[in-house]
Amino acid sequence: MNEPAVRVLSLIAPMTQLNTPYPSTAYLTGFLRSRGFEAVQEDLALGVVLALFSGKGLQLVHDALERLPASARTACTEAYAQCHQRYAETIDAVIAFLQGRDSTLAHRIASRNWLPEGPRFAALDAYVDDDGGDPLGWAFGALGVQDRARHLATLYLNDIADVLRDAADPRFEFVRYAESLARSQASFEPLAQALAAPVTLVDRTLQDLTLAALQRHRPTVVLVSVPFPGTVYAAFRIAQTIKAGRPDITTVLGGGFVNTELRELSEPRVFDHFDFVTLDGGERPLLALLEHLQGRRSVQRLVRTFMRQDGQVRRVHFAEPDVPFAQVGTPTWDGLPLGSYLSLLDMLNPMHRLWSDGRWNKLTVAHGCYWKKCSFCDVSLDYISRYDAAQASTLVDRVEAIVAETGQTGFHLVDEAAPPKCLKAMAAELQARRVGISWWGNIRFEKSFTPALCRQLAASGCIAVSGGLEVASDRLLALMKKGVSVDQVARVTKAFADAGILVHAYLMYGFPTQTEQDTVDALETVRQLFAAGCIHSGFWHRFACTVHSPVGLDPQAYGVSLRPLPRGSFAKNDVDFVDPTGTDHDALGAGLRKALYNYMHGIGLEADVREWFDFAVPRARVPRQRIARALARSPTAS
Ligand code: SF4
């Protein structure tokens, strides 16, 4: 008897990043092909943006704007309405420039006489202007025409995105779409109502693209991957469109949002749109599901899969080992329009630039995290807790295959924390095979990154690393089980910096028991790290407690209590907590961000850190030579 043919289409749902494809479909498509399945992929996030940010798309935006009642008009829509013709005449050329297809246009854009300038350009006035009238001179100098033009073109797109939001769909943003309908939403009701509402211009565009993709690929199964809450609404709109026209197609939902927020899913209405929802590493559940659809496996033997039976949600899990990381195959970007991604230059921060600018191949060094102890992290979940590494030779085989396929040699290692042992082995293998690539990714600032290893990593193509300094306090680093000390971070970051590698620090504030004094001390430590040339870039994250983290699982151990979560059948992740320490972290956040922004541009490094706050804070207790002394004690072994 012939098995039913299975043809799988994997879709990236809007919105994700626009400079390079989100890797989930590339990973799944590569894996499924390695197992002999017909598998294809499309990026509908990029598709929506390219359709709307075009001459034709802007006409639709303008039509929506004309229908707006006077009371709904905003500064953005008014500014746009006056210059619509100019936007419509320039948009296709600007997109071509951002796609790297028309580099000489940079001169015209950089002249600031060509593009219309809406409210987003007002931010330029906030930049330091030391050289008599050029507000971007400090950032790009006299010769940085390409970057300057890219930044201006990005502001221009942001102005249009604001108009799209105000005139056509209030939920639209460049990097997330209708996020609040999904993030930690205990009830499915808001999402259900949004899906039942009349379609917006963005919805209609997405529907058209979905139907065109079905027409092109004729799949029997569609996988929609939702990495973040800001992709969930669109994923459901895609599935709704499929079910309306082609109910015979099996729809499957998976991805990071499901793995973190839908673990206790019991909402039957989800299955009006999706036939199956799979949890955690997608390979094994998908293999089981495809075998089931081919009639080779009973429904009882599905793996980590939710479905609806007799009107109730049922979770089926037939325990089978996950596919080893060494056997997940090589990601493939085949079918994605690699020449059409947009290199945006939004925030003038060196690390954020790597995230949003340029097309990077994505590669994972190992599944999970080798440390898996940090108390703010989802260490109880598979994507962190199941550590599984592959041989360096396997990794470099994948690197070579990807370069051969894409013709591009930049790699973003997407591990939560790439293991030093694997990086060392990978670097040696790259060097031995004389494979020339550039790569960057997340690490822990741990002491096995010696100066010699940092130099070897640089020689193998490492251009940047990011790692957690978090609260920059030895007391709090110990409490959060980060496994590093401030002195150690200073020495390791200096070793990377001395090797010519850009260093970005993840910084955190608002951790349980953190006092105002702790925060001021942390800022002083960060100031010294910038001044000593250890770090070049950073970002302050406000601590958020998730139900899967050690803090969420055992709040008393961290001196806090959790507020009760609303009862619900849908998403569950962030949880509010009460910290009796009582620090006003919101008030401190603004000063922290202002200081960091200036430090990244070499400004204010000598000033007393108290100057960055708008209210009186205590003097820092950290000695002003603390980092210099830690570096002086640096082990001489290299
Ligand atoms: S925060 Fe990073 S290093 Fe810590 S357990 Fe999570 S992934 Fe690992």
Side-chain angles (χ1 to χ4, degrees):
M1 194 177 75
N2 282 342
E3 289 168 354
V6 167
R7 184 170 167 79
V8 181
L9 168 62
S10 299
L11 294 176
I12 301 174
M15 297 298 300
T16 56
Q17 61 188 129
L18 297 172
N19 59 312
T20 194
Y22 191 80
S24 52
T25 65
Y27 279 38
L28 286 177
T29 304
F31 169 69
L32 291 174
R33 287 184 183 178
S34 76
R35 298 299 173 111
F37 288 98
E38 263 191 273
V40 289
Q41 57 189 328
E42 289 232 0
D43 185 345
L44 298 189
L46 180 71
V48 162
V49 167
L50 294 184
L52 290 173
F53 290 71
S54 65
K56 222 169 120 192
L58 288 196
Q59 190 52 52
L60 298 173
V61 174
H62 189 248
D63 294 347
L65 202 157
E66 299 245 283
R67 289 193 295 272
L68 273 187
S71 59
R73 295 186 173 230
T74 63
C76 301
T77 59
E78 290 306 281
Y80 180 89
Q82 285 172 16
C83 302
H84 164 65
Q85 197 54 36
R86 205 71 206 110
Y87 280 102
E89 285 166 6
T90 48
I91 184 70
D92 291 325
V94 170
I95 292 291
F97 168 71
L98 289 169
Q99 289 173 328
R101 293 190 284 119
D102 192 4
S103 64
T104 53
L105 192 64
H107 296 275
R108 210 162 177 210
I109 295 173
S111 73
R112 296 192 65 184
N113 293 321
W114 186 58
L115 291 183
E117 298 193 352
R120 290 285 189 142
F121 284 75
L124 294 181
D125 299 336
Y127 293 156
V128 181
D129 181 2
D130 283 341
D131 57 359
D134 178 4
L136 290 175
W138 63 273
F140 303 118
L143 293 178
V145 177
Q146 291 291 331
D147 283 351
R148 179 189 295 256
R150 246 203 315 253
H151 183 56
L152 295 168
T154 303
L155 294 177
Y156 160 94
L157 289 193
N158 286 337
D159 269 328
I160 301 175
D162 292 344
V163 176
L164 187 55
R165 180 197 63 206
D166 290 354
D169 192 331
R171 305 162 304 186
F172 182 82
E173 285 180 72
F174 254 136
V175 289
R176 59 184 77 84
Y177 181 34
E179 183 184 59
S180 63
L181 294 175
R183 178 181 284 280
S184 299
Q185 264 292 356
S187 167
F188 187 68
E189 189 54 29
L191 189 51
Q193 283 180 12
L195 290 166
V199 291
T200 66
L201 174 59
V202 180
D203 294 328
R204 218 167 33 246
T205 307
L206 182 59
Q207 287 177 331
D208 292 346
L209 291 168
T210 302
L211 293 174
L214 296 186
Q215 183 72 22
R216 213 168 10 256
H217 300 294
R218 306 203 166 278
T220 60
V221 179
V222 174
L223 311 179
V224 190
S225 178
V226 282
F228 322 114
T231 58
V232 173
Y233 167 73
F236 276 83
R237 272 287 186 203
I238 291 169
Q240 183 186 51
T241 307
I242 295 172
K243 286 296 177 193
R246 290 287 311 278
D248 56 305
I249 294 177
T250 302
T251 50
V252 186
L253 182 72
F257 172 79
V258 176
N259 303 343
T260 49
E261 303 219 17
L262 296 191
R263 306 194 72 82
E264 294 167 28
L265 177 65
S266 61
E267 172 57 61
R269 287 177 292 174
V270 166
F271 299 89
D272 293 344
H273 309 284
F274 288 100
D275 297 297
F276 299 97
V277 177
T278 64
L279 268 188
D280 297 334
E283 289 85 3
R284 178 60 71 199
L286 270 182
L287 274 189
L289 181 58
L290 296 183
E291 285 172 14
H292 168 63
L293 296 175
Q294 289 175 316
R296 294 195 280 136
R297 181 185 276 253
S298 70
V299 82
Q300 289 78 14
R301 292 179 65 236
L302 292 180
V303 180
R304 294 194 301 266
T305 301
F306 292 101
M307 73 192 82
R308 183 168 60 189
Q309 276 184 340
D310 304 324
Q312 299 295 314
V313 179
R314 179 173 164 219
R315 180 175 187 257
V316 182
H317 179 51
F318 180 77
E320 267 183 51
D322 273 297
V323 177
F325 181 64
Q327 293 169 23
V328 296
T330 303
T332 177
W333 281 266
D334 181 39
L336 296 177
L338 296 186
S340 298
Y341 286 85
L342 307 174
S343 275
L344 303 176
L345 185 41
D346 202 341
M347 298 170 82
L348 296 175
N349 166 319
M351 197 69 188
H352 288 143
R353 177 182 184 160
L354 287 181
W355 278 313
S356 67
D357 183 12
R359 218 212 52 74
W360 300 96
N361 298 309
K362 308 272 186 177
L363 188 74
T364 308
V365 174
H367 184 280
C369 171
Y370 67 104
W371 175 252
K372 52 184 162 189
K373 289 185 194 164
C374 302
S375 58
F376 57 87
C377 180
D378 286 343
V379 294
S380 63
L381 300 186
D382 173 86
Y383 79 98
I384 301 292
S385 65
R386 182 166 59 84
Y387 178 66
D388 180 14
Q391 298 285 328
S393 56
T394 306
L395 288 179
V396 179
D397 286 348
R398 289 177 187 170
V399 165
E400 289 190 307
I402 292 168
V403 172
E405 178 188 283
T406 65
Q408 286 166 329
T409 59
F411 281 80
H412 174 194
L413 308 183
V414 293
D415 298 66
E416 301 288 335
K421 246 177 40 200
C422 296
L423 289 181
K424 184 175 169 44
M426 185 185 85
E429 187 74 13
L430 287 167
Q431 289 172 305
R433 295 197 206 176
R434 308 191 80 74
V435 177
I437 61 166
S438 315
W439 61 268
W440 56 283
N442 287 333
I443 55 153
R444 290 178 64 243
F445 292 130
E446 64 162 84
K447 56 179 180 292
S448 44
F449 287 110
T450 60
L453 177 54
C454 293
R455 287 195 295 274
Q456 184 185 7
L457 297 182
S460 78
C462 178
I463 54 164
V465 290
S466 44
L469 170 59
E470 319 299 358
V471 279
S473 141
D474 284 332
R475 175 182 80 81
L476 291 168
L477 283 168
L479 181 64
M480 61 171 50
K481 299 193 178 60
K482 190 71 201 174
V484 298
S485 66
V486 169
D487 284 9
Q488 181 183 317
V489 170
R491 288 193 285 266
V492 171
T493 51
K494 189 73 167 83
F496 275 110
D498 286 349
I501 293 171
L502 177 89
V503 182
H504 174 89
Y506 294 109
L507 302 164
M508 183 187 282
Y509 67 105
F511 194 74
T513 75
Q514 184 164 6
T515 62
E516 191 172 84
Q517 180 72 61
D518 288 326
T519 303
V520 174
D521 290 350
L523 183 57
E524 171 60 15
T525 302
V526 168
R527 180 194 71 77
Q528 292 185 30
L529 287 166
F530 271 97
C534 297
I535 60 179
H536 311 99
S537 170
F539 192 83
W540 290 104
H541 300 260
R542 174 78 189 263
F543 167 75
C545 183
T546 75
V547 291
H548 315 293
S549 67
V551 178
L553 293 168
D554 185 10
Q556 289 87 345
Y558 298 88
V560 296
S561 55
L562 303 186
R563 290 194 199 279
L565 280 171
R567 288 169 67 83
S569 55
F570 190 53
K572 182 174 170 187
N573 196 45
D574 293 352
V575 54
D576 286 340
F577 64 95
V578 180
D579 183 346
T581 313
T583 309
D584 185 354
H585 298 294
D586 286 338
L588 291 161
L592 292 176
R593 286 189 292 275
K594 205 191 313 171
L596 193 62
Y597 184 81
N598 281 278
Y599 294 164
M600 284 191 289
H601 299 114
I603 297 164
L605 285 166
E606 294 307 318
D608 187 312
V609 293
R610 289 175 293 177
E611 290 179 18
W612 299 108
F613 299 96
D614 291 337
F615 50 93
V617 294
R619 174 192 295 274
R621 290 173 310 193
V622 177
R624 273 184 84 80
Q625 297 305 318
R626 177 192 181 162
I627 296 299
R629 279 195 219 116
L631 294 175
R633 285 196 302 273
S634 186
T636 47
S638 62

